[in-house]
Amino acid sequence: MAKGNGLCFGVDLVTFFHPVFFGLQSHDAIIEHACAEPRAFWDRILDGVEASGVTGVELTFSPFNWQDAIKTYGSVDGFGAELTKRGLTLCSGFFAELEAAGDFTQLETQRAIIDKAERYADFLKACGSDIMVIGAPLRQTLGAQPAIFHDFDRAKVIADFLNRLGAILYARGVRLALHTEAHSIFAAARDVDLMMMLTDPAYVHMCPDTAHIIVAGSDPVQLVDRHHERMIIAHWKDAIGPMPADTQIDEHIHDRHQAYFCGFGLGRVDWPAWIRLLRDRAYAGWAILELDAAPDPVRDIANGLTLVRQALLPVYR
């Protein structure tokens, strides 16, 4: 098991969203391959996770989502059996519906989100996981007109819905963890502080992503230290620095992020300070060694895990 005195290591399946890993030429070709040969697609990914040395799997968007997993292996139990025979655990699932929903302050939109989240939560619980990582709505491009201000009143509306959603998920045995996605309303230090203040800590938790916090222009160690008691899972990723303040925020923003992400230990994240923080705050739980669309994900994850074991875990222990 990839553990370290209270830390368990996993990977988000977005790490495998690179054509080179599948011997293909484009992201569209990956999706076509997943549709045409789903068993070969999923077996290759799960075999890769096992070979990398981590033991946790975080599901994400299609073709790496929970519905795809069920279709491929026939049932929840069938997917669970594929994990078990490889010594893997479903640690969490990423839920991207808030970002895609547009104005989810509308009751009809909220009902649709809740329905999707409830079904996802039931799947996660059936597979032994109790964490749903949720992406927050995106901000508006700086200077766009008419300007939409993420002020107290707007944040409170969003926080009220997150509180209700968190309570609904809790009733199904699953905890809600907000992900610090760069250029969302939950990444830069001020925005995280605001949302943490407005949400109920009993029902809304936190999944800090170290790289996304860097890209948003903040310090992940300082930020997480202020809210460490809300952290129930974390994405460990590195970045070369913040993106320009006037970066265009549109459907391509996640592609623009990739140029700022880098190999574990090669960027601006202060990993020694990070591991001391987790040690001093007695954090125990999942650490997701994530890379966005890595050409050689098995090697990169294994190298990251080796660095953690050799340079960081001795400090944590």
Side-chain angles (χ1 to χ4, degrees):
M1 299 288 285
K3 295 183 178 179
N5 284 7
L7 294 177
C8 302
F9 296 96
V11 64
D12 186 293
L13 295 191
V14 70
T15 302
F16 294 85
F17 196 46
H18 197 290
V20 170
F21 177 68
F22 298 96
L24 300 171
Q25 300 299 317
S26 68
H27 290 96
D28 288 343
I30 295 176
I31 296 172
E32 292 172 5
H33 171 55
C35 292
E37 300 179 76
R39 183 64 186 243
F41 173 79
W42 275 87
D43 282 352
R44 179 164 174 76
I45 291 171
L46 296 183
D47 288 345
V49 176
E50 179 186 13
S52 74
V54 300
T55 57
V57 171
E58 180 174 276
L59 298 178
T60 185
F61 54 80
S62 186
F64 310 95
N65 69 14
W66 66 278
Q67 296 99 326
D68 296 321
I70 291 177
K71 288 178 183 177
T72 299
Y73 294 114
S75 66
V76 174
D77 290 341
F79 175 58
E82 293 297 324
L83 294 176
T84 299
K85 79 179 186 181
R86 294 174 173 87
L88 302 176
T89 299
L90 183 64
C91 54
S92 50
F94 190 87
F95 184 75
E97 297 298 328
L98 292 192
E99 181 181 320
D103 183 8
F104 66 86
T105 60
Q106 302 298 315
L107 290 179
E108 184 176 344
T109 303
Q110 290 187 4
R111 283 194 291 266
I113 292 171
I114 289 170
D115 176 67
K116 292 176 182 179
E118 286 180 322
R119 290 186 284 116
Y120 197 2
D122 291 342
F123 166 84
L124 291 172
K125 192 65 178 176
C127 287
S129 172
D130 71 342
I131 299 176
M132 186 184 296
V133 179
I134 292 184
L138 291 174
R139 270 185 161 275
Q140 183 187 47
T141 301
L142 183 65
Q145 294 295 327
I148 299 173
F149 305 111
H150 185 58
D151 55 13
F152 183 91
D153 291 337
R154 183 167 183 263
K156 189 176 186 309
V157 172
I158 296 170
D160 288 346
F161 175 68
L162 290 172
N163 283 334
R164 289 193 289 115
L165 181 59
I168 289 168
L169 295 179
Y170 182 82
R172 286 177 133 78
V174 172
R175 295 175 290 170
L176 182 160
L178 274 179
H179 178 259
T180 56
E181 182 80 24
H183 296 101
S184 77
I185 61 165
F186 192 73
R190 174 268 190 187
D191 290 351
V192 172
D193 291 342
L194 178 61
M195 197 56 61
M196 289 288 91
M197 178 185 69
L198 292 173
T199 52
D200 189 330
Y203 297 108
V204 178
H205 308 278
M206 179 183 186
C207 172
D209 184 307
T210 50
H212 278 280
I213 294 171
I214 291 281
V215 167
S218 297
D219 183 323
V221 175
Q222 293 180 4
L223 179 57
V224 173
D225 194 20
R226 289 201 295 276
H227 306 288
H228 64 91
E229 73 281 358
R230 308 285 289 271
M231 178 171 57
I232 60 172
I233 188 170
H235 287 182
W236 294 24
K237 188 162 59 178
D238 221 332
I240 61 174
M243 293 180 71
D246 60 351
T247 295
Q248 186 173 357
I249 303 172
D250 56 19
E251 67 273 16
H252 302 296
I253 186 59
H254 303 297
D255 296 330
R256 295 189 182 100
H257 287 162
Q258 290 188 17
Y260 287 79
F261 298 142
C262 61
F264 194 84
L266 300 178
R268 296 273 291 274
V269 177
D270 187 342
W271 293 110
W274 174 256
I275 201 69
R276 289 194 300 270
L277 170 64
L278 301 190
R279 178 198 65 196
D280 294 346
R281 298 305 189 183
Y283 172 78
W286 285 105
I288 307 302
L289 304 182
E290 180 191 355
L291 299 163
D292 277 25
D296 192 349
V298 177
R299 181 200 64 190
D300 290 345
I301 298 165
N303 288 345
L305 189 57
T306 297
L307 187 152
V308 169
R309 285 171 168 160
Q310 293 179 352
L312 301 183
L313 287 186
V315 177
Y316 180 82
R317 295 189 182 105

